[in-house]
Amino acid sequence: MDHVLISDLKKHLGQKVKLKGWVYNSRSSGKIKFLLLRDGSGLCQSIFFKGECDTNSFENFSELNQETAVVVTGVPREEARSPGGVELGAESFEIISQSVDYPITPKDHGTDFLMNHRHLWLRSKRQHAILRVRAEIVAAIRDFFDGQGFTLTDAPIFTPNACEGTSTLFETQYFDSKAYLSQSGQLYMEATAMALGKVYCFGPTFRAEKSKTRRHLIEFWMVEPEVAFADLKDNMELAEEFLSYVVQRTLKNKAEELKSLERDTSGLEKVKGAFPRIHYNEACEIILKENPKFVTGDDFGGTDETIISSKFDKPVFVHNFPKKIKAFYMKEDHDNSAESLSVDLLATEGYGELIGGGQREDDIQKLLDGIKEHELSEEDFSWYLDLRRYGSVPHSGFGMGLERCVAWVCGLPHVRETIAFPRLYGRNKP
Ligand code: 4AD
Ligand code: MG
């Protein structure tokens, strides 16, 4: 490479270098012209002084429209007030290609406009910070499980059956038959857990959710660990250890990005150690004090989750949901057959359900009853039932939605900015 990256500029103080990037901003004030350049690795303020820089560059400075691609030559020097603590004493620039009438200007644009220009919106500082936090969380997730003896056994996207209820299935043609886009890799992880003990999958999942909320995407990434010979308690311990690692590592490695997002991280600092655990009935009592319309036995709405989480300064586990509101595979609690060994983990600060999971039903007869009650086809699940025919053991797992985690860690009001190209109800472009 004949140029250096902005992120490496500190290593080249006092040496003449070339930077290649795009114009983020430019302004003039008499004898000084300021060019804020971005190159993907960071932002750099370049200063053109009349008399000190090339005359042509000084005179043609106004050609440097927003997002023009450019090569800038100059000498980096320390400057505490500049991004990254370095500024470039510029000598000259050379335009690689022009950008005329870039649609996203520093003025305020509505969300819809920005979403329509998502392919360009990604060039802004805020989006860089969010995508870098996302990448760090992805790396932390993989490192956690890889480092704990889990084997990555990714699940298929085309599936013959529902995992999380038939109402949110995307149906598609699969040659002469039908297939569905995966809602969760869980059932496949149960199979690979019986083969390899501790496994996980991490990939895109799909839900045809006909609702516009700040927490729902149509296509989202989910990480799903599954462990053989593990019960509900083991599952909660795994989830709290996992989430603590992910959050603390991201706070450490992406402090600068979180600062640029103006994230107050004092709440996230507390996300470690054991998390509080409450029974579903206890959660209902908490909700009823503030939302008397809530009906015990029902699933929680977003506001109900916020009521619960506001009582704790760490994420909180709610376990033992009624069997009838949970998926067919949840294990029945043998002390109370109306309850399931299910668990949700609610994030702090009103971010709602971050993790959902539980112990799986390992009794084939109970599983068959569940399949019938949920009006699912026994034939479609015959392979899954085999897992209970040949050496069935207690096992547990959970799923965490990546985008919910990113929104929470970054403190974003909506999940739409947590993924480069979000798929939302009513939006599949660009
Ligand atoms: O609670 P869910 O539906 O659980 C499952 O799919 C289980 N099969 C997982 C398992 O046990 N292996 O989804 C798990 C998590 C939720 O807690 C939430 O974080 C996220 O996935 N999630 C969504 N995120 C964004 N948009 C949506 N539409 C989501 N639906 C679920
Ligand atoms: Mg759930």
Side-chain angles (χ1 to χ4, degrees), residues 169-283:
L169 272 180
F170 269 110
E171 191 179 290
T172 177
Q173 198 67 31
Y174 195 77
F175 303 104
D176 296 333
S177 60
K178 297 255 182 277
Y180 307 97
L181 301 187
S182 176
Q183 296 169 306
S184 157
Q186 179 197 319
L187 306 184
Y188 294 99
M189 291 308 99
E190 290 184 55
T192 57
M194 297 305 129
L196 295 151
K198 298 206 281 183
V199 298
Y200 74 106
C201 63
F202 191 10
T205 45
F206 307 84
R207 308 248 175 126
E209 318 242 20
K210 288 192 178 157
S211 60
K212 291 189 180 177
T213 81
R214 62 196 194 90
R215 295 175 186 169
H216 288 90
L217 288 160
I218 301 304
E219 179 176 332
F220 63 98
W221 280 62
M222 182 155 47
V223 56
E224 298 180 86
E226 192 71 32
V227 183
F229 304 106
D231 62 14
L232 179 65
K233 188 169 155 281
D234 299 322
N235 203 31
M236 291 193 270
E237 283 168 8
L238 178 66
E240 68 200 3
E241 208 186 319
F242 159 71
L243 194 63
S244 303
Y245 175 82
V246 169
V247 170
Q248 296 311 318
R249 178 171 139 171
T250 307
L251 288 181
K252 183 163 156 262
N253 292 355
K254 289 288 166 264
E256 209 172 296
E257 283 77 4
L258 293 170
K259 198 171 149 213
S260 87
L261 293 167
E262 295 175 5
R263 177 67 164 128
D264 172 359
T265 56
S266 53
L268 295 172
E269 308 279 354
K270 295 184 194 139
V271 180
K272 52 184 151 192
F275 300 165
R277 298 167 190 196
I278 60 173
H279 189 283
Y280 168 84
N281 293 336
E282 199 181 333

